Amino acid sequence: MSTRLATGGRLVNRAQKMNFTFNGERLSGHAGDTLASALLANGKMMVGRSFKYHRPRGVVASGAEEPNALVNLGTGNRLEPNQRATTTELFEGLAATSQNHWPSLEFDIGAVNTYFSRFLPAGFYYKMFMYPRAFWKHVYEPFIRQSAGLGRAPEAHSRDEDTYEHFYAYIDVLVIGGGIAGLQAALAAGRAGAQVLLIEQTAHWGGRTPVDGGEVDGKPAAEFVEAALAELRGMKNVALRTRMMGAGVYDHGYVLAYERMSDHAPGTPGPRHRLWRLRCKQIVTATGAIERPLCFAGNDVPGVLLASALRDYAVNYGVSIGDRTVVVTNNDDAYRTAISMKEMGLEVPAIIDARAGGGGALAQQARDLGIRVETGKGIAKVKGTRRVEGVAICAQAGEGAVLDEIKCDAVAMSGGWSPVVHLWSHCGGKLDWDDAQSMFRPRASAPPTGATGEAFVIPAGSANGHLGLGDVLADADAAGRAAAQAVGATPPKTAAPQGAGPDEAPIEPVWLMPQGVDIKLRMKAWLDFQNDVKVSDVQLAAREGFESVEHAKRYTTLGMATDQGKLSNINGLAILSDALGQPIPQTGTTTFRPPYTPISMGAIAGEARGKVFQPIRRTPIQDWHEAQGAYFEPVGHWRRPYCYPQGGESHAQAVEREITQTRNSLGLLDASTLGKLVVKGPDAARFLDMLYTNMMSTLKPGRCRYGLMCSENGFLMDDGVVARIDDETFLCHTTTGGAERIHAHMEEWLQTEWWDWQVYVANVTEQYAQIGVVGPNARKVLEKLGGMDLSRETLPFMAWADGTLAGIGVRVFRISFSGELSYEIAVDASYGRALWDKLLAAGEEFGVMPYGTEALHVMRAEKGFIMIGDETDGTVIPQDLGLHWAISKKKDDFIGKRAQERSHMTDPDRWQLVGLETLDGGVLPDGAYAVAEGTNANGQRNMQGRVTSTYYSPTLKRGIAMGLVRHGPDRMGEVLEFPGTDGTTHKARIVEPVFFDKDGEKQNV
Amino acid sequence: MSEAQSALRGTWHKGLVTVAEAGLQGMITLRGQTGEAGFADAVKQATGLDLPDTRTIVAADKRAIAWMSPDEWLLMCPYEDAHDMVAGLRAALAGRHHLVENVSDARAMFTLDGDDATLREVLAKLAPVDLHPERFGPGEMRRTRFAQVPGAFWLTAPGAARVVCFRSVAQYMYDLLCVASSEGSAVGYFKP
């Protein structure tokens, strides 16, 4: 059983106890523990179950590469699934539960899958669930959804209690990784005067060096780490941060880094995570290397760990996995684990070295310590199911005949080291296969490149394929200098520190142990511990023709788990290469995609939650609307009052009241959201003639004209009233949602097509509050405010004038979208609320009625006015809407003119705008289609029209609608059938689209 | 004049830095051809200010002029003076192709005050701008975005910034700046 040793553990503070729970059981660890080390210290070898076969899973690694030890961390509003115990720092009160088991971790029903594993090979899902077709929806998918997934999603009602943020920084040299290579690279770049940011994903500096030892310039390597840190901290141009991971490298030196400020101390004031959005001139990836597992039968049994992890737990946390550790390796590094165990007083019954020639100096040291070293041997099988009980030894060259059995509690395995090339590869850095070291490493001649072809990523140390301490330091020093030079700094002439370690014998690749192992044992040799992919699965995929590594990955799910194959990918593609009979480089790797390890959704969202989730645009009168309890509807990012319900009124009742009172007396509308674009210059009139379908150059100063704007393809895209201010200046009103879009449209034409025309455009939408004063008493209320002559003669329909009302400077437009006598009053936005209040007070005697967008819509529909977005949908041209009168025939050209002459646009069969009156006075369903005789080629009922706007009209006391109908204007009086979605059919008669005051007498008083 | 209300009527909040809505501020958009002979003189005649260099702002007395694009500037003056300033500029630029529009009411302005390094961090949480003290100082102007909305800012002195955005999103901007300066969120990145 794993346990805490009496001594040791350089990272833990034994004086400080920390309580935590695992599956509800109260346990304790020390400050400085990770959750993984604390669990192991409490004898918790088994921490979860695998994805497919629900096999017992124990901790296998000690860092970010851990595939097994995933837990549900926290509770309630702080529950997060799939958290790696190896990178979770222990804190007081931590609560974790294990995943993917039912009913309990110890006894799990799903584990029965392992006995059926013969019937659940790679591609099982694809083969099984193809037929019968109908089973997918009703049988297979529900079953898969039930069984898929590791951790539990938080409850729907829970809300993340923490906050998050982003931070932008611009950096000369970013060094990712605070191991000995990163420290040296940062020193080299920092001494040259470059601005450096050095980040480390864990809470500790030095990486593996304090555990692995060695000497730098004749002193213990750990001392070098401290000295380097002290020097870096003293540099004003260097910033150092721990608990910050380089998550992704993107084009042009853009890097996402993920800082975890309070995961180790939840509830600390301030954001939990910070996503750094960095622009870096140079990036040094000193990201280290990850040890590979070996593939032998039973390599997934709890108690089989990476050799380096076993050593980490002992040295860093004073935790042993068992009293007797068998080491199995194909390289010298794993001997360090054996030596560490022995030095701590633990037993190492044997070192199984697959290499016939055995190891170098470290092997000799192990032998000197009295450890039995078996060369040319392998593990045939691990004994035990829920934990290691022993190993069966065989010849590596053979088929697995057992030569000896050794009792042990732990197995330390090492299949060699893979440089962490992820960040190098994210943005296109290429890799080479290094045969001598059995690893993919960065190809120096093919780095990620920037806009001018310059390299912007430099790998350093073991991330660059240098495993020896001396090589690491020399390489990192060169990387730091190169990065500094690339940003224009000059590194001083100092010598790189000299690192020294024992001579090591070369690694020998071992992809399968033993090399001729039979199928029965290959089905027990795991590649991907989390997704349950075995050697036999990859071989099957190759036999079935999945030759591309990307295809084989998806077919077998190798490397598709939350760890993204950090342990399994290289072994898997070696097995695939062998099965395909081709060298490893020919198979290649799968794509490395960001992030390096999963980052929180909160960090991605940053500050955008709660009241700053999304910008909400507010008019100067918004406070008033809110105080009235208005019901709002989103219009772009604005929230406009839909209606102002009073007392217990329904929305429909409120709308009816607002319309009736406006038609009978006086209504007020906050129209501030309308787009307002000033177009000015000697060529402004000519420019607007091109933009609008109408003639705008003939408009007189002081007058207004309704205009239509089309896209190049002829489709109606916006409409509004244009006022001519003076010879060179026009004020163009757009729809509320159209202001930014039409401004951009104008700028595009001015900047790309008519760049030599003298026109400036300014978006002054928000400069003015705009208030619609509407109804028979509109003039009276304005006259009450006083200040300007608004008589029919002085300010006729479609005219505007500047003046003052109640002492406030205004511009009054006499325009109407309701059919009533109507003025739109523009006022500097800061005075908008003041004018609104004055209008309310002055209008009291008329029963003034603020109205919302729905009343606006109904009133315009009563008048047959179109609405962009209702009558138009991007496929409608003005001619479809009977707007021929607004399309100039005198102009040579305007945007959309040519398109509107194309045959399909002039097709008489195009659906045309008409009014629709239900026979029973009811309201047609919005968007309903009018059916015609027969069916189309797809067997669907033929259609002959559709409803574009439909309302109950309180003025006419009946449903009214507009729609587009084939040959509609020629079919007045015909009755169409509109099937509803509820089985009923509505009948409506085709009528003129103007329902109310057809001659416009009301607005023209 | 008391009837005029700025978007947030001077709301303020003290966090890592003090965020305050600055109240009414005169602002005028000016567009014209800087290469045209006499253009800069005409602007100076009307405003008393020289046209600023690229990405900078110059201030004198209660006025300032900021570079917005190669043919656009933002003029600032007391709110009450804006209409007269517009008229003066239009008169001075008569006969030239130009655009002068009062945008005082279309904007909201905020002041940020506090420790210089902290203030830079608050800005850098929201705007993708290099705020390193060696590369951004008083006198520089940035048109950029703050989280999801357009905005512009400049430093008036070490530890003092102005932020401008559209009036309709003043509440969003204020909330953003408050969130970014909430207690416990200091980054500790810009060394003094």
Side-chain angles (χ1 to χ4, degrees):
Chain A
M1 208 167 95
S2 60
T3 189
R4 183 88 65 184
L5 298 165
T7 57
R10 68 180 191 99
L11 298 181
V12 294
N13 175 6
R14 287 176 186 256
Q16 195 183 344
K17 199 170 121 178
M18 278 184 169
N19 299 298
F20 70 104
T21 64
F22 182 63
N23 289 337
E25 187 181 349
R26 294 171 156 281
L27 303 168
S28 76
H30 295 306
D33 262 325
T34 63
L35 176 57
S37 69
L39 284 169
L40 290 168
N42 284 276
K44 300 290 174 192
M45 294 285 293
M46 188 173 140
V47 292
R49 290 197 177 253
S50 62
F51 186 67
K52 190 165 159 192
Y53 303 134
H54 293 234
R55 283 176 64 93
R57 286 286 178 257
V59 173
V60 69
S62 58
E65 69 274 29
E66 172 64 36
N68 289 346
L70 303 181
V71 297
N72 295 309
L73 191 66
T75 55
N77 289 341
R78 285 213 165 94
L79 169 69
E80 252 191 324
N82 297 339
Q83 297 302 295
R84 286 178 309 283
T86 52
T87 57
T88 300
E89 295 175 55
L90 193 66
F91 54 86
E92 179 64 32
L94 180 152
T97 56
S98 52
Q99 301 184 159
N100 206 36
H101 52 69
W102 186 84
S104 74
L105 177 58
E106 284 70 28
F107 177 78
D108 176 62
I109 298 267
V112 74
N113 282 1
T114 195
Y115 300 107
F116 295 114
S117 62
R118 284 184 59 192
F119 309 107
L120 294 168
F124 166 77
Y125 294 96
Y126 303 112
K127 293 163 185 163
M128 176 67 198
F129 299 137
M130 288 289 284
Y131 304 102
R133 286 279 184 195
F135 270 41
W136 175 253
K137 189 170 177 186
H138 301 292
V139 180
Y140 299 141
E141 192 185 345
F143 168 75
I144 291 172
R145 287 204 182 280
Q146 176 66 31
S147 59
L150 288 165
R152 288 183 64 85
E155 298 296 333
H157 59 76
S158 62
R159 292 291 177 270
D160 191 339
E161 277 180 36
D162 291 301
T163 61
Y164 303 84
E165 68 183 19
H166 291 174
F167 188 73
Y168 297 91
Y170 297 71
I171 291 161
D172 283 353
V173 178
L174 173 69
V175 180
I176 303 174
I180 200 156
L183 291 168
Q184 180 56 35
L187 277 176
R191 284 173 185 151
Q195 186 214 343
V196 177
L197 173 62
L198 170 63
I199 62 174
E200 161 58 36
Q201 63 182 348
T202 72
H204 307 285
W205 298 102
R208 295 208 52 77
T209 303
V211 174
D212 290 352
E215 287 188 350
V216 178
D217 291 338
K219 290 184 217 155
E223 284 182 28
F224 169 79
V225 171
E226 291 310 314
L229 275 175
E231 185 178 346
L232 287 167
R233 286 187 177 124
M235 292 184 187
K236 199 165 182 283
N237 56 324
V238 177
L240 298 92
R241 298 188 86 91
T242 55
R243 299 187 174 108
M244 184 158 155
M245 176 184 79
V249 173
Y250 305 84
D251 283 329
H252 309 294
Y254 184 55
V255 172
L256 286 184
Y258 175 60
E259 185 180 20
R260 304 199 292 158
M261 285 89 79
S262 63
D263 277 353
H264 64 291
T268 307
R272 175 177 172 230
H273 297 155
R274 182 179 290 129
L275 192 67
W276 290 61
R277 306 173 69 168
L278 303 166
R279 285 280 173 195
C280 313
K281 291 181 187 163
Q282 289 288 308
I283 301 156
V284 176
T285 56
T287 45
I290 290 175
E291 195 166 27
R292 290 191 295 261
L294 283 166
C295 296
F296 50 83
N299 63 348
D300 69 326
V301 175
V304 181
L305 277 79
L306 295 174
S308 57
L310 222 127
R311 185 156 90 231
D312 284 343
Y313 286 115
V315 176
N316 286 336
Y317 308 103
V319 169
S320 83
I321 306 302
D323 293 346
R324 300 162 297 175
T325 301
V326 165
V327 175
V328 55
T329 184
N330 64 345
N331 65 81
D332 275 17
D333 186 61
Y335 283 85
R336 289 193 170 91
T337 300
I339 294 163
S340 284
M341 294 301 120
K342 200 77 182 169
E343 283 174 347
M344 290 189 156
L346 298 165
E347 283 306 309
V348 179
I351 296 172
I352 317 293
D353 192 330
R355 298 170 294 182
L362 287 164
Q364 190 53 49
Q365 196 183 337
R367 282 198 184 88
D368 293 346
L369 287 167
I371 302 173
R372 170 184 168 193
V373 177
E374 295 279 351
T375 57
K377 301 292 190 300
I379 289 181
K381 190 180 180 182
V382 173
K383 304 286 215 181
T385 49
R386 289 178 171 217
R387 64 152 313 150
V388 173
E389 289 162 13
V391 292
I393 309 295
C394 63
Q396 169 60 19
E399 293 172 41
V402 175
L403 304 175
D404 192 6
E405 289 193 2
I406 303 174
K407 290 205 178 303
C408 62
D409 319 297
V411 175
M413 61 180 166
S414 178
W417 289 81
S418 298
V420 175
V421 294
H422 300 62
L423 294 160
W424 162 268
S425 300
H426 281 167
C427 204
K430 297 283 185 290
L431 302 175
D432 277 328
W433 177 254
D434 181 333
D435 232 9
Q437 298 195 92
S438 298
M439 62 166 69
F440 278 106
R441 59 192 298 188
R443 182 188 302 165
S445 62
T449 50
T452 57
E454 83 287 4
F456 67 83
V457 180
I458 305 173
S462 46
N464 195 25
H466 299 284
L467 297 183
L469 189 55
D471 292 343
V472 165
L473 285 169
D475 187 54
D477 187 65
R481 285 166 176 274
Q485 271 167 342
V487 300
T490 309
K493 289 192 170 72
T494 49
Q498 298 292 310
D503 289 337
E504 296 189 17
I507 184 176
E508 280 178 20
V510 172
W511 308 117
L512 204 47
M513 178 174 274
Q515 62 92 20
V517 64
D518 68 23
I519 179 66
K520 216 176 141 197
L521 291 179
R522 269 181 275 152
M523 288 179 68
K524 297 282 180 203
W526 258 256
L527 287 166
D528 188 318
F529 297 114
Q530 194 181 127
N531 268 1
D532 279 322
V533 182
K534 300 157 295 177
V535 169
S536 55
D537 294 321
V538 173
Q539 291 171 332
L540 177 68
R543 281 202 304 281
E544 294 188 345
F546 291 90
E547 297 181 5
S548 153
V549 63
E550 298 281 8
H551 293 162
K553 165 181 168 173
R554 282 151 185 83
Y555 192 58
T556 61
T557 73
L558 175 86
M560 287 173 67
T562 60
D563 63 320
Q564 289 287 289
K566 289 188 176 62
L567 295 189
S568 61
N569 277 347
I570 303 297
N571 284 345
L573 67 91
I575 297 287
L576 181 66
S577 301
D578 178 63
L580 295 171
Q582 67 190 22
I584 287 173
Q586 198 172 321
T587 305
T589 65
T590 53
T591 308
F592 295 90
R593 292 192 178 87
Y596 175 60
T597 66
I599 65 176
S600 65
M601 298 304 285
I604 295 168
E607 81 297 325
R609 59 178 305 186
K611 57 187 176 180
V612 292
F613 171 66
Q614 192 184 46
I616 300 297
R617 299 178 72 180
R618 301 171 62 85
T619 78
I621 309 167
Q622 199 88 7
D623 288 344
W624 189 89
H625 304 320
E626 286 175 356
Q628 299 306 305
Y631 173 72
F632 291 95
E633 70 166 340
V635 183
H637 280 208
W638 300 98
R639 293 291 177 273
R640 298 190 71 183
Y642 174 93
C643 63
Y644 303 84
Q646 292 177 359
E649 267 183 341
S650 69
H651 294 165
Q653 287 166 334
V655 170
E656 185 167 346
R657 169 179 46 77
E658 291 167 13
I659 293 170
T660 306
Q661 187 62 6
T662 301
R663 291 251 184 253
N664 290 335
S665 179
L666 182 63
L668 284 188
L669 175 75
D670 180 2
S672 306
T673 61
L674 273 186
K676 306 163 199 83
L677 305 175
V678 169
V679 178
K680 180 178 183 296
D683 294 311
R686 177 187 179 200
F687 177 60
L688 292 187
D689 275 348
M690 289 303 289
L691 281 167
Y692 287 94
T693 61
N694 342 38
M695 190 76 93
M696 288 298 173
S697 52
T698 56
L699 185 63
K700 301 267 186 301
R703 304 292 294 185
C704 303
R705 186 168 288 165
Y706 173 72
L708 303 174
M709 217 180 267
C710 292
S711 69
E712 259 187 303
N713 292 320
F715 299 117
L716 185 54
M717 59 188 274
D718 208 70
D719 68 349
V721 169
V722 178
R724 189 161 197 170
I725 307 301
D726 59 36
D727 270 354
E728 287 198 353
T729 313
F730 295 80
L731 177 63
C732 302
H733 290 99
T734 74
T735 55
T736 291
E740 286 74 25
R741 182 168 51 89
I742 299 302
H743 185 198
H745 175 68
M746 289 180 173
E747 285 292 343
E748 181 176 356
W749 282 94
L750 283 173
Q751 291 180 31
T752 63
E753 198 65 27
W754 303 314
W755 50 270
D756 53 342
W757 292 15
Q758 292 196 308
V759 180
Y760 287 129
V761 180
N763 185 348
V764 295
T765 299
E766 299 197 19
Q767 170 64 22
Y768 304 102
Q770 197 136 319
I771 301 172
V773 182
V774 182
N777 289 314
R779 186 178 287 133
K780 281 185 202 155
V781 77
L782 296 178
E783 283 170 350
K784 255 184 90 177
L785 295 185
M788 58 194 293
D789 182 0
L790 299 167
S791 65
R792 180 178 180 171
E793 296 70 31
T794 314
L795 192 67
F797 188 54
M798 295 308 270
W800 65 267
D802 283 340
T804 60
L805 285 172
I808 299 174
V810 294
R811 175 170 286 161
V812 180
F813 303 88
R814 180 141 177 231
I815 53 182
S816 179
F817 198 42
S818 58
E820 297 299 326
L821 171 64
S822 162
Y823 300 86
E824 283 197 15
I825 308 194
V827 55
D828 284 344
S830 302
Y831 289 91
R833 178 63 193 275
L835 181 62
W836 180 264
D837 288 345
K838 286 179 195 294
L839 284 163
L840 284 176
E844 203 174 343
E845 65 172 290
F846 307 110
V848 62
M849 191 64 64
Y851 66 90
T853 52
E854 185 64 1
L856 160 87
H857 282 133
V858 175
M859 286 194 279
R860 67 90 195 172
E862 288 172 344
K863 283 292 292 176
F865 295 142
I866 63 136
M867 178 69 81
I868 299 294
D870 284 333
E871 276 63 48
T872 70
D873 63 358
T875 71
V876 172
I877 58 175
Q879 291 85 344
D880 297 340
L881 302 177
L883 295 169
H884 300 83
W885 59 269
I887 304 165
S888 169
K889 288 163 194 68
K890 294 184 199 148
K891 292 195 291 189
D892 288 340
D893 200 9
F894 59 84
I895 295 171
K897 180 179 169 75
R898 185 177 174 282
Q900 288 167 1
E901 289 166 357
R902 290 186 298 193
S903 59
H904 181 68
M905 298 295 210
T906 57
D907 184 348
D909 281 345
R910 285 184 73 87
W911 294 1
Q912 312 254 327
L913 186 76
V914 292
L916 296 165
E917 256 180 23
T918 50
L919 300 191
D920 62 2
V923 179
L924 281 172
D926 202 1
Y929 274 79
V931 291
E933 291 304 312
T935 55
N936 65 15
N938 297 322
Q940 298 158 327
R941 186 78 185 266
N942 281 329
M943 303 294 172
Q944 55 178 330
R946 64 182 165 86
V947 174
T948 56
S949 293
T950 174
Y951 306 97
Y952 174 74
S953 161
T955 313
L956 302 167
K957 305 268 187 282
R958 59 167 299 123
I960 59 167
M962 287 192 272
L964 294 164
V965 174
R966 183 185 300 132
H967 305 152
D970 301 329
R971 297 167 64 185
M972 288 297 148
E974 266 188 54
V975 174
L976 300 177
E977 289 191 356
F978 294 86
T981 52
D982 57 356
T984 60
T985 292
H986 303 261
K987 290 188 174 182
R989 181 177 290 113
I990 299 176
V991 296
E992 292 289 337
V994 185
F995 294 92
F996 176 67
D997 187 24
K998 290 190 192 332
D999 299 326
E1001 288 169 358
K1002 287 202 80 181
Q1003 71 191 18
N1004 231 341
V1005 292
Chain B
M1 276 300 152
S2 61
E3 290 176 321
Q5 290 181 345
S6 64
L8 301 183
R9 297 185 290 286
T11 307
W12 64 277
H13 169 82
K14 188 172 186 317
L16 293 179
V17 299
T18 299
V19 177
E21 197 240 12
L24 293 167
Q25 169 68 48
M27 290 192 205
I28 295 159
T29 287
L30 165 66
R31 296 193 66 183
Q33 298 301 320
T34 168
E36 224 177 64
F39 176 77
D41 292 340
V43 174
K44 177 142 194 175
Q45 175 206 323
T47 64
L49 293 168
D50 290 313
L51 289 178
D53 290 337
T54 305
R55 292 198 306 279
T56 65
I57 179 168
V58 294
D61 200 10
K62 287 176 175 171
R63 293 176 179 182
I65 184 164
W67 182 94
M68 297 292 271
S69 84
D71 64 356
E72 182 178 345
W73 298 267
L74 182 66
L75 246 148
M76 279 164 276
C77 64
Y79 180 79
E80 302 74 28
D81 299 350
H83 283 287
D84 290 344
M85 179 83 92
V86 166
L89 266 167
R90 283 179 178 163
L93 294 170
R96 301 170 184 278
H97 174 40
H98 71 277
L99 177 144
V100 175
E101 284 293 324
N102 183 5
V103 292
S104 311
D105 304 85
R107 308 276 165 81
M109 188 158 95
F110 296 88
T111 59
L112 273 61
D113 289 283
D115 166 65
D116 186 61
T118 310
L119 185 142
R120 289 170 182 276
E121 288 175 4
V122 169
L123 292 169
K125 290 177 188 184
L126 302 171
V129 173
D130 186 355
L131 279 147
H132 193 283
E134 288 170 17
R135 295 189 289 267
F136 190 94
E140 294 207 50
M141 165 83 176
R142 281 292 182 284
R143 278 181 95 171
T144 176
R145 67 174 170 82
F146 284 75
Q148 300 172 61
V149 294
F153 72 90
W154 64 98
L155 302 177
T156 50
R162 301 268 164 106
V163 173
V164 173
C165 68
F166 285 109
R167 181 187 180 108
S168 67
V169 293
Q171 186 67 48
Y172 172 80
M173 178 65 87
Y174 177 73
D175 291 340
L176 269 185
L177 292 168
C178 291
V179 165
S181 61
S182 58
E183 293 298 338
S185 74
V187 182
Y189 178 67
F190 293 120
K191 291 182 188 177

